[in-house]
């Protein structure tokens, strides 16, 4: 990066969760292809993050590129009010076919956080239409993360989330403990007692919102499918809507196409994002059942009150359509199992390191939880020096490689991770 470019970046651009005067290293990317990211100084990094869990087919995929070029020649954008187009129609058909059967209606928006806000608004309008306008509060799980907009923040973890800072701006929602029952284990009814009590005592709950099976940004925690089944049963018992935020888990990451499939349940509303476009463009979708949609339609004002400018952008829909077809027409389940095996084998050696608390793997997600928080500057540098791109947070070093990563490259990635974990990069 030239000195003047670096100065513009430093002085004028905010990066995610950063200070304008930050002196954390920032790397200029020249290009990316397959699972490799090329920096402007010529170095190449193996991608362990899939660009925050999106780029499942890697970068610069020929089929994705070709589909987007074809679409670009037709139109890059057209307003969705009063118009429709083939990419949106075809994508919708695919999403309705692939997601659990009761989900039949699709609302497109720009990002995961907005998809969550849209889901929350759907739940509120659903109850409004039913004459229960007091139902405007939400219940969610502690250690959950649903995004950075005001609505999404209000259902994200109250401690690690930004509730103190935005105290007076956020709705006061309710929280139940993070499920302690591990993935693959049963879950006693006792674990849901507080949720039952909340449903029982409050008549103002619109929905329970949760990340099914994997609580991602809140701690990379994998919990019991039985817990998820039991939340569905409780929601049914008390007539509360269930919103599944599959933004991090959708499209195979956990070994099933959707994390809800581990529990064989269907939510009333589901949020998709991130991997939806294979990491090419920003797009999110909020899916709802016929019941949710027709109830909203039947009430006052008889329409759903949301409509983003770039709703169902044709380029983004084309990317999503192409990415999903690539995925479902590939032996993706075997592939995720292969990556799961590689992550298990590769990260196992971290278990013996003194400052490691836990090592866990599910699907194409590998997590090394440390006893102390990492020092971002030195750990990022250590990974880059080893030729890999891994971006830890807090006490968590985790890998979410693109699904196309071969075994040898995965081995290089996990070996580098194990070496960095063994070194001293801690506060
Ligand atoms: N929900 C979950 C489960 C997420 O992991 C994220 C992003 N990490 C979001 C919502 C927010 O998505 P976006 O960053 O696209 O707004």
């Amino acid at each position: 990066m030239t000195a003047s470019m670096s100065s513009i970046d430093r002085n004028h651009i905010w990066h995610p969760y950063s200070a304008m005067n930050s002196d954390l290293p920032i790397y200029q990317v020249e290009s990316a292809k397959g699972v490799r990211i090329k920096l402007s100084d010529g170095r190449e990094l193996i991608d362990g993050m899939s660009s925050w869990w999106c780029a499942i087919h890697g970068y610069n995929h020929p089929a994705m590129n070709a589909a987007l070029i074809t679409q670009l020649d037709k139109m890059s954008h057209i307003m969705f009010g009063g118009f429709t187009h083939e990419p949106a129609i075809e994508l919708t058909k695919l999403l309705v076919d692939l997601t659990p059967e009761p989900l039949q209606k699709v609302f497109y928006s720009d990002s995961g956080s907005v998809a969550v806000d849209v889901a929350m608004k759907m739940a509120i309008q659903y109850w409004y239409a039913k004459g229960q306008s007091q139902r405007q509060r939400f219940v969610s799980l502690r250690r959950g993360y649903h995004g950075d907009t005001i609505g999404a923040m209000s259902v994200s973890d109250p401690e690690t989330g930004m509730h103190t800072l935005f105290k007076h701006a956020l709705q006061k929602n309710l929280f139940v403990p993070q499920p302690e029952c591990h993935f693959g284990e049963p879950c006693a009814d006792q674990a849901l007692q507080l949720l039952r009590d909340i449903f029982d005592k409050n008549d103002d709950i619109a929905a329970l919102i949760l990340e099914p099976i994997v609580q991602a940004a809140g701690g990379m925690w994998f919990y019991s499918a039985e817990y998820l089944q039991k939340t569905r049963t409780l929601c049914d018992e008390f007539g509360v809507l269930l919103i599944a935020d599959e933004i991090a888990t959708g499209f195979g990451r956990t070994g099933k196409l959707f994390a809800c499939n581990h529990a064989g349940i269907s939510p009333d509303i589901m949020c998709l994002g991130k991997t939806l476009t294979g990491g090419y463009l920003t797009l999110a979708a909020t899916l709802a059942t016929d019941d949710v949609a027709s109830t909203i339609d039947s009430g006052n004002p008889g329409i759903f009150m949301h409509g983003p400018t770039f709703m169902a952008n044709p380029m983004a829909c084309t990317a999503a359509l192409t990415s999903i077809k690539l995925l479902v027409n590939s032996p993706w389940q075997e592939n995720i199992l292969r990556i799961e095996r590689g992550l298990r084998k590769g990260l196992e050696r971290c278990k013996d390191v003194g400052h490691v608390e836990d090592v866990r793997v599910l699907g194409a997600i590998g997590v090394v939880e440390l006893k102390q928080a990492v020092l971002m500057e030195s750990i990022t540098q250590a990974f880059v020096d080893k030729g890999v791109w891994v971006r830890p947070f807090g006490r968590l070093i985790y890998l979410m490689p693109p699904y196309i990563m071969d075994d040898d490259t995965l081995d290089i990635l996990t070996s580098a991770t194990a070496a960095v974990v063994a070194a001293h990069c801690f506060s």
Side-chain angles (χ1 to χ4, degrees):
M1 185 160 24
T2 64
S4 88
M5 281 170 88
S6 163
S7 138
I8 294 172
D9 194 283
R10 290 258 173 246
N11 294 316
H12 300 282
I13 311 178
W14 259 302
H15 285 265
Y17 298 105
S18 71
M20 191 52 89
N21 62 3
S22 162
D23 52 10
L24 286 176
I26 195 108
Y27 304 91
Q28 189 178 340
V29 177
E30 183 69 35
S31 60
K33 192 164 175 55
V35 300
R36 289 190 160 73
I37 301 165
K38 190 171 175 195
L39 302 182
S40 58
D41 61 12
R43 284 183 290 177
E44 256 191 13
L45 306 177
I46 294 171
D47 178 25
M49 295 283 94
S50 302
S51 276
W52 272 340
W53 334 335
C54 304
I56 52 172
H57 310 295
Y59 304 92
N60 238 320
H61 191 286
M64 293 286 295
N65 289 7
L68 283 165
I69 290 166
T70 305
Q71 181 56 42
L72 186 62
D73 281 338
K74 294 183 188 166
M75 65 184 157
S76 64
H77 183 61
I78 189 77
M79 64 185 285
F80 212 49
F83 285 134
T84 193
H85 47 77
E86 202 176 315
I89 293 169
E90 281 199 32
L91 173 61
T92 305
K93 184 171 177 329
L94 202 52
L95 290 179
V96 167
D97 285 350
L98 292 174
T99 53
E101 203 268 324
L103 298 166
Q104 292 291 317
K105 313 290 188 209
V106 185
F107 188 99
Y108 293 107
S109 59
D110 321 75
S111 71
S113 304
V114 176
V116 167
D117 277 29
V118 164
M120 293 169 75
K121 286 174 71 174
M122 279 180 183
I124 289 172
Q125 271 200 245
Y126 172 85
W127 289 113
Y128 190 85
K130 276 185 172 288
Q132 296 198 45
S133 57
Q134 84 283 3
R135 285 195 183 266
Q136 302 219 348
R137 279 211 296 175
F138 294 84
V139 185
S140 61
L141 311 186
R142 282 188 182 270
R143 313 289 297 178
Y145 174 81
H146 297 284
D148 291 347
T149 49
I150 294 282
M153 273 198 295
S154 77
V155 289
S156 298
D157 185 81
E159 277 154 39
T160 56
M162 295 155 268
H163 288 234
T164 313
L165 186 58
F166 297 99
K167 195 168 162 184
H168 299 295
L170 298 186
Q171 186 186 22
K172 302 275 173 288
N173 289 315
L174 299 164
F175 295 88
V176 294
Q178 174 178 52
E180 277 175 20
C181 30
H182 294 216
F183 182 79
E185 292 177 5
C187 181
D189 288 347
Q190 191 55 31
L192 290 100
Q193 190 55 45
L194 185 59
L195 187 60
R196 171 177 284 283
D197 291 347
I198 287 176
F199 284 173
D200 199 25
K201 292 193 183 110
N202 298 280
D203 70 350
D204 61 350
I205 308 296
L208 167 68
I209 176 165
L210 48 73
E211 293 158 280
I213 303 296
V214 176
Q215 289 191 290
M220 295 292 163
W221 176 245
F222 313 146
Y223 68 85
S224 164
E226 210 180 311
Y227 180 92
L228 188 56
Q229 282 159 354
K230 288 184 175 177
T231 60
R232 176 69 275 182
T233 309
L234 264 190
C235 286
D236 288 342
E237 189 181 329
F238 288 91
V240 170
L241 295 175
L242 176 62
I243 303 172
D245 176 351
E246 291 254 11
I247 289 161
T249 49
F251 303 104
R253 185 56 73 179
T254 67
K256 300 274 185 195
L257 201 53
F258 299 100
C260 283
N261 300 146
H262 286 285
I265 62 127
S266 176
D268 302 288
I269 301 174
M270 180 189 270
C271 304
L272 298 172
K274 287 189 181 284
T275 298
L276 178 59
T277 63
Y280 259 65
L281 287 162
T282 179
L283 182 74
T286 307
L287 283 80
T289 59
D290 279 333
D291 176 40
V292 168
S294 62
T295 304
I296 290 172
D297 285 355
S298 70
N300 194 6
I303 52 173
F304 179 54
M305 298 298 283
H306 207 98
T309 305
F310 284 97
M311 188 169 186
N313 170 264
M315 296 289 284
C317 288
T318 300
L321 186 60
T322 313
S323 169
I324 299 170
K325 280 187 186 162
L326 274 175
L327 179 70
V328 296
N329 293 329
S330 71
W332 64 270
Q333 272 152 311
E334 286 159 41
N335 202 25
I336 302 289
L337 273 176
R338 175 187 65 78
I339 294 177
E340 184 172 76
R341 276 194 300 272
L343 287 171
R344 264 188 220 293
K345 186 167 156 261
L347 296 179
E348 202 174 60
R349 57 199 126 171
C350 298
K351 279 187 175 150
D352 301 330
V353 178
H355 48 258
V356 170
E357 178 77 35
D358 188 30
V359 177
R360 47 185 181 268
V361 174
L362 177 64
I365 313 172
V367 183
V368 180
E369 184 173 338
L370 307 170
K371 292 181 177 153
Q372 294 162 279
V374 299
L375 267 185
M376 265 314 259
E377 184 171 354
S378 47
I379 202 158
T380 307
Q381 187 69 54
F383 277 119
V384 170
D385 288 346
K386 296 213 170 296
V388 300
W389 182 244
V390 178
R391 196 163 166 85
F393 63 91
R395 295 188 295 113
L396 296 166
I397 296 175
Y398 70 95
L399 302 177
M400 287 215 198
Y403 299 171
I404 58 159
M405 189 171 286
D406 64 40
D407 289 340
D408 291 345
T409 314
L410 188 58
D411 192 41
I412 299 173
L413 178 64
T414 55
S415 301
T417 305
V420 172
V421 166
H424 291 282
C425 298
F426 311 104
S427 52

